[in-house]
Amino acid sequence: MKRNSRLSAVLHALMHMAEREAPMTSDDLALCLDTNAVVVRRTMAGLREAGIVQSGRGHGGGWHFARPLADISLLDIYNALGEPIVFQIGPATEMPGCVVEQSVNRVIGEALKDAEAILMARFAGTTLADLAADFRVAAKHCRADTG
Amino acid sequence: MKRNSRLSAVLHALMHMAEREAPMTSDDLALCLDTNAVVVRRTMAGLREAGIVQSGRGHGGGWHFARPLADISLLDIYNALGEPIVFQIGPATEMPGCVVEQSVNRVIGEALKDAEAILMARFAGTTLADLAADFRVAAKHCRADTG
DNA sequence: GCGATTCGTAACTATTATTGTTACATGAAA
DNA sequence: TTTCATGTAACAATAATAGTTACGAATCGC
């Protein structure tokens, strides 16, 4: 299956925004992400509703942050994206009648739940400021293009 | 997208097999799993190659275990299935040229890797015997159908 | 006000992974 | 030798994501 790359993509977009002063248009970001402006708007819509970014129309419009990078965790963003499904593997039936299947689903489900909790904790503990700092360290070693 | 339910499905099948003495045919299992016999064969093929189950043709044929349930971990089965992709979320580009994207991918990738390690450890520590025992406890409380 | 710019959104297409189905060959037991 | 059962290829169905087109609505500069 195609994997869901919205989290990755939107973080990529936000980091580009973080490197600039002025708002960036959907077209700007689409160029960075090598995708379409509509896809950008669609993805960013959730973040706007969550109060993470703001958008402006017309001349000089575009996307900018609604609050400091240090106040935005990866979990905030994950949630703003509509909490995409984490795992590709999952149960065959959500509400099985078969007792055997129920038992299997429970065991697998608990394992997945624990792994997901680890992931969410990690997301909660990482802010966009962390991510930006991480990037700047990496960029020091390799002053290449940023497109 | 559709989620990959092969692990869940095959465990369901194996638990039904564990509850019986005689081999079960693909048709038997397909009935249990509410699916098609070909799908069963396809899924079980990996387990046969991994030496977890054996199959016999003709009269009295079908599927049976190749070794004790206590010697088969969920990780063995996961691996036998061809190590299906665990996460639905993932990077937009596998080998990005953009340094910003590389940085984002690395941070996200590490978080996913850690979560996956937790999951695999859990799978490694659970055997089919554990699963069967778990089921029998649950079945005591609810003596319903097992199909 | 007018026109250029930019977001907002619906509708449709393209891509791709999983699952289901059909068909037929192969092998084993009664 | 007939019947039962797996082995496998080929194709259809399903479903989720991502890309595209089209048009409406809001904002800015003139």
Side-chain angles (χ1 to χ4, degrees):
Chain A
M1 264 176 207
K2 242 178 217 172
R3 294 169 77 182
N4 184 326
S5 60
R6 280 193 286 250
L7 179 62
S8 217
V10 82
L11 288 176
H12 183 185
L14 294 174
M15 284 300 99
H16 276 285
M17 284 168 57
E19 295 293 302
R20 290 218 204 169
E21 291 294 312
M24 288 182 76
T25 68
S26 301
D27 270 318
D28 290 340
L29 292 172
L31 217 68
C32 290
L33 305 192
D34 196 32
T35 182
N36 190 292
V38 176
V39 174
V40 170
R41 290 191 198 110
R42 196 151 59 196
T43 309
M44 298 286 279
L47 303 206
R48 185 185 53 231
E49 283 156 26
I52 294 170
V53 297
Q54 290 177 338
S55 58
R57 303 195 197 201
H59 286 270
W63 300 91
H64 60 97
F65 288 101
R67 41 188 167 109
L69 297 192
D71 291 357
I72 305 170
S73 73
L74 301 199
L75 184 58
D76 292 334
I77 294 171
Y78 170 81
N79 288 330
L81 290 175
E83 306 180 15
I85 300 289
V86 172
F87 295 105
Q88 184 142 15
I89 61 185
T93 319
E94 213 60 57
M95 294 278 296
C98 172
V99 185
V100 173
E101 189 173 0
Q102 285 172 14
S103 190
V104 168
N105 278 5
R106 186 163 38 72
V107 172
I108 296 288
E110 280 171 12
L112 291 176
K113 205 180 68 182
D114 289 356
E116 182 168 346
I118 295 286
L119 191 63
M120 292 303 125
R122 189 76 166 258
F123 284 172
T126 309
T127 69
L128 290 188
D130 298 330
L131 214 61
D134 184 284
F135 158 67
R136 286 194 199 101
V137 169
K140 245 184 209 161
H141 295 95
C142 168
R143 273 247 151 271
D145 71 276
T146 58
Chain B
M1 262 181 207
K2 242 179 217 169
R3 290 169 80 183
N4 183 325
S5 62
R6 280 193 286 249
L7 179 62
S8 218
V10 81
L11 288 176
H12 184 186
L14 294 173
M15 284 301 99
H16 276 284
M17 283 168 59
E19 295 293 303
R20 290 220 205 168
E21 292 294 314
M24 289 182 77
T25 69
S26 300
D27 270 319
D28 291 341
L29 292 172
L31 216 71
C32 290
L33 305 193
D34 196 33
T35 182
N36 190 291
V38 176
V39 174
V40 172
R41 290 190 199 112
R42 197 151 57 195
T43 309
M44 298 286 277
L47 302 205
R48 186 186 52 232
E49 283 156 25
I52 294 170
V53 298
Q54 290 176 337
S55 58
R57 304 195 194 199
H59 286 268
W63 300 90
H64 61 97
F65 287 101
R67 42 189 168 108
L69 297 192
D71 292 357
I72 304 170
S73 73
L74 300 199
L75 184 58
D76 293 333
I77 294 171
Y78 170 81
N79 288 330
L81 290 175
E83 307 180 14
I85 300 288
V86 172
F87 295 106
Q88 185 143 17
I89 61 185
T93 319
E94 214 60 57
M95 293 279 296
C98 172
V99 185
V100 173
E101 189 173 0
Q102 285 172 14
S103 190
V104 168
N105 279 4
R106 184 162 39 72
V107 171
I108 297 288
E110 279 170 13
L112 292 175
K113 205 181 68 183
D114 289 356
E116 181 168 345
I118 294 285
L119 191 64
M120 292 303 123
R122 189 75 165 257
F123 284 172
T126 309
T127 69
L128 290 188
D130 297 331
L131 214 62
D134 183 284
F135 158 67
R136 288 196 197 100
V137 169
K140 246 184 207 162
H141 295 96
C142 170
R143 273 250 149 271
D145 71 276
T146 58

